[in-house]
Amino acid sequence: MDKLHITGGKPLCGELRISGAKNAALPILAGALLSEAPVTIGNVPHLHDITTTMELLGRMGVQLVVDEKLNIEVDSSSIQNFYAPYELVKTMRASILVLGPLLSRFGRAEVSLPGGCAIGTRPVNLHLQGLAAMGADINVRNGYIHAVAKRLKGCRLVLDQVTVTGTENLMMAAALAEGKTVIENAAREPEVIDLANFLNQLGAQVRGAGTGILEIEGVESLDRPGRHYNILPDRIETGTYLVAAAMTGGRVKLKNARPALLDAVLVKLRAAGAEIRVGENWIELDMHGRRPCSVSIRTAPYPAFPTDMQAQFIAMNAIAEGVGIITETVFENRFMHVQEMQRMGADIKLESNTAIVKGIPWLTAAPVMATDLRASACLVLAGLVAEGKTVIERIYHIDRGYECIEEKLSQLGAEIRRIPH
Ligand code: EPZ
């Protein structure tokens, strides 16, 4: 398994282009199953999770053609089966996103239960309850979800917890259902809006994306001639590189970004002492060589502070001036990075779902292990400021969500190398 070697102490300076959003590309690739005509999806990030999704669709008999710009044409006209096997689903929980489209368009699906992961049990009960309410016959046995439906019927769904992929699965199921579906307490994430925009471009009738109340008028089919859809920029990749610059006292300009998607994060970076300028599709952060001040955050569904940025702010608070209180309200076990940070000298105390981080001037390099995607980002950030060479193991986690991370960080002046094993 590859490792990353990072020698800390270099301020990050320069420009970067932000990639397309992983968490928009995954539901949109699944949503392409709804289309009668081939669709082309652009600005897709080159990530392991994307490769897994393409393999999953390919095994169903979906035709996928990738051009030199990594645009992906998806043609589901020759689909042969509606099966998502455990061997793929266990490597990428988001495979559950094929359930809604398969049921809605083909009336059947056999999808492995995703199971939990490092950050939590990750149940999918709200996905299944919603589909059952729409008339699907759902049986869970031998670790698989066996679902059939003559034709899903629209209805009013009230989600008792905000769920991003749950909202996305039910939106896609409703797109071809009979009649109108209303989803209340829907997730408002930008990636949910991107999926709605994609489906509407195919001819779906999704209204209210981003407001918390979705209204979807089912249509007979999505057969508009194949169109091209570009994925929105990745707000979490953007936030991660902004934190990297803030921690190292550097100055970066991120292009192909969308500042409007990061309000809650930019507020906290400014509170940490960063000077931030924004344009419509770029963000510039200048730390003027200063050490950041500690900030306190509480994660919650969009538009509040994103849980996917929590680990990165643990890293920043670890070397900031002062004490920062970080409360995680979305997942029950999303502090796996803390014990690894403590091995680098961080002064962090955990009390239930809260981390109390007392900033120290510098961390010391150590061999550490990535446990999940954003935890590995935290360790990379810590390595950028630690004294000495930090070696990060199990970096396959980071390859799931960050396109060419060592190239991008090297471009900003970091001393980072991938050591193949
Ligand atoms: C999505 O996961 C993202 N993944 C996650 O990003 C992100 O952290 C999360 O949303 C929250 O923003 C993708 O979009 C592919 P949830 P998802 O359903 O949809 C509970 C990353 O780092 N819940 O919004 O799986 C659940 O246990 C990944 O890129 C139920 O109880 O998260 C959690 O406590 C990590 N029952 C809360 O809701 C359900 O049926 C939010 O989970 C569904 C969810």
Side-chain angles (χ1 to χ4, degrees):
M1 286 191 249
D2 292 1
K3 296 181 182 179
L4 277 180
H5 288 198
I6 307 174
T7 302
K10 315 261 179 333
L12 296 192
C13 297
E15 292 193 358
L16 266 193
R17 185 186 181 283
I18 292 300
S19 304
K22 165 179 84 83
N23 289 351
L26 298 179
I28 286 172
L29 283 167
L33 286 167
L34 290 164
S35 174
E36 305 271 344
V39 292
T40 304
I41 300 159
N43 198 33
V44 180
H46 188 49
L47 299 170
H48 194 265
D49 275 7
I50 300 299
T51 312
T52 305
T53 304
M54 291 171 68
E55 185 178 345
L56 176 63
L57 295 176
R59 286 204 201 177
M60 291 178 187
V62 173
Q63 301 294 316
L64 295 145
V65 179
V66 185
D67 72 16
E68 67 292 345
K69 296 198 194 92
L70 250 189
N71 295 312
I72 303 174
E73 184 191 72
V74 182
D75 178 355
S76 58
S77 56
S78 54
I79 194 166
Q80 287 139 8
N81 68 71
F82 313 106
Y83 177 56
Y86 174 63
E87 62 175 295
L88 285 179
V89 177
K90 73 180 178 186
T91 67
M92 188 190 69
R93 299 189 59 266
S95 307
I96 188 79
L97 284 164
V98 301
L99 181 60
L102 288 175
L103 254 186
S104 191
R105 176 145 178 239
F106 303 104
R108 45 192 289 225
E110 203 176 319
V111 177
S112 166
L113 273 172
C117 72
I119 66 177
T121 53
R122 314 292 295 275
V124 291
N125 59 308
L126 299 175
H127 300 235
L128 303 185
Q129 285 163 18
L131 292 170
M134 295 172 77
D137 179 23
I138 307 260
N139 269 298
V140 177
R141 62 176 184 280
N142 307 107
Y144 276 79
I145 301 159
H146 302 267
V148 287
K150 273 198 183 49
R151 187 178 180 196
L152 294 174
K153 277 183 77 58
C155 65
R156 180 168 169 267
L157 302 169
V158 182
L159 301 179
D160 66 10
Q161 177 144 9
V162 173
T163 162
V164 172
T165 50
T167 300
E168 291 165 345
N169 238 337
L170 294 170
M171 181 204 295
M172 291 189 282
L176 296 179
E178 186 187 338
K180 180 175 178 178
T181 301
V182 176
I183 304 175
E184 301 209 21
N185 199 26
R188 300 170 53 190
E189 271 68 5
E191 294 75 29
V192 173
I193 300 173
D194 216 32
L195 173 63
N197 292 339
F198 168 72
L199 295 178
N200 287 340
Q201 185 171 289
L202 297 178
Q205 306 284 327
V206 182
R207 301 285 169 263
T211 67
I213 298 181
L214 287 177
E215 293 195 359
I216 304 115
E217 199 63 55
V219 295
E220 286 305 311
S221 70
L222 296 181
D223 50 10
R224 273 199 195 154
R227 307 275 296 273
H228 184 100
Y229 190 84
N230 279 325
I231 302 289
L232 90 169
D234 193 317
R235 61 193 167 97
I236 305 301
E237 184 195 28
T238 306
T240 304
Y241 287 113
L242 290 174
V243 171
M247 289 177 68
T248 57
R251 173 179 181 183
V252 293
K253 183 169 186 177
L254 305 178
K255 297 184 286 184
N256 190 45
R258 205 173 294 174
L261 307 182
L262 285 133
D263 288 337
V265 174
L266 298 185
V267 163
K268 293 297 179 181
L269 286 169
R270 288 187 168 114
E275 181 195 344
I276 294 176
R277 296 186 320 116
V278 301
E280 201 207 324
N281 59 3
W282 58 269
I283 302 178
E284 187 175 69
L285 180 146
D286 192 344
M287 210 56 194
H288 297 291
R290 294 189 294 261
R291 182 181 172 196
C293 310
S294 300
V295 292
S296 291
I297 62 169
R298 180 182 179 82
T299 69
Y302 195 89
F305 191 92
T307 175
D308 292 348
M309 284 298 302
Q310 176 256 104
Q312 298 88 319
F313 272 72
I314 288 268
M316 189 175 78
N317 272 341
I319 51 90
E321 185 89 44
V323 177
I325 311 288
I326 293 193
T327 302
E328 172 58 59
T329 73
V330 177
F331 290 110
E332 69 265 31
N333 189 36
R334 202 170 199 177
F335 283 127
M336 303 277 278
H337 38 287
V338 167
Q339 60 252 31
E340 297 303 299
M341 290 292 289
Q342 287 164 338
R343 301 184 59 246
M344 297 177 74
D347 181 349
I348 306 174
K349 286 182 188 54
L350 284 182
E351 287 176 10
S352 173
N353 66 338
T354 296
I356 298 145
V357 188
K358 186 175 180 307
I360 57 176
W362 57 79
L363 297 170
T364 48
V368 290
M369 186 173 74
T371 50
D372 58 270
L373 170 52
R374 306 305 172 182
S376 36
C378 168
L379 298 175
V380 169
L381 296 175
L384 293 172
V385 298
E387 267 198 328
K389 184 196 289 184
T390 298
V391 178
I392 304 176
E393 301 194 0
R394 301 194 182 179
I395 57 161
Y396 56 84
H397 290 291
I398 206 150
D399 293 333
R400 297 187 50 182
Y402 290 91
E403 186 176 46
C404 310
I405 189 162
E406 66 267 30
E407 286 86 349
K408 290 191 173 185
L409 285 172
S410 302
Q411 210 177 304
L412 298 176
E415 197 175 324
I416 180 171
R417 278 189 316 128
R418 178 182 294 258
I419 311 296
H421 261 63

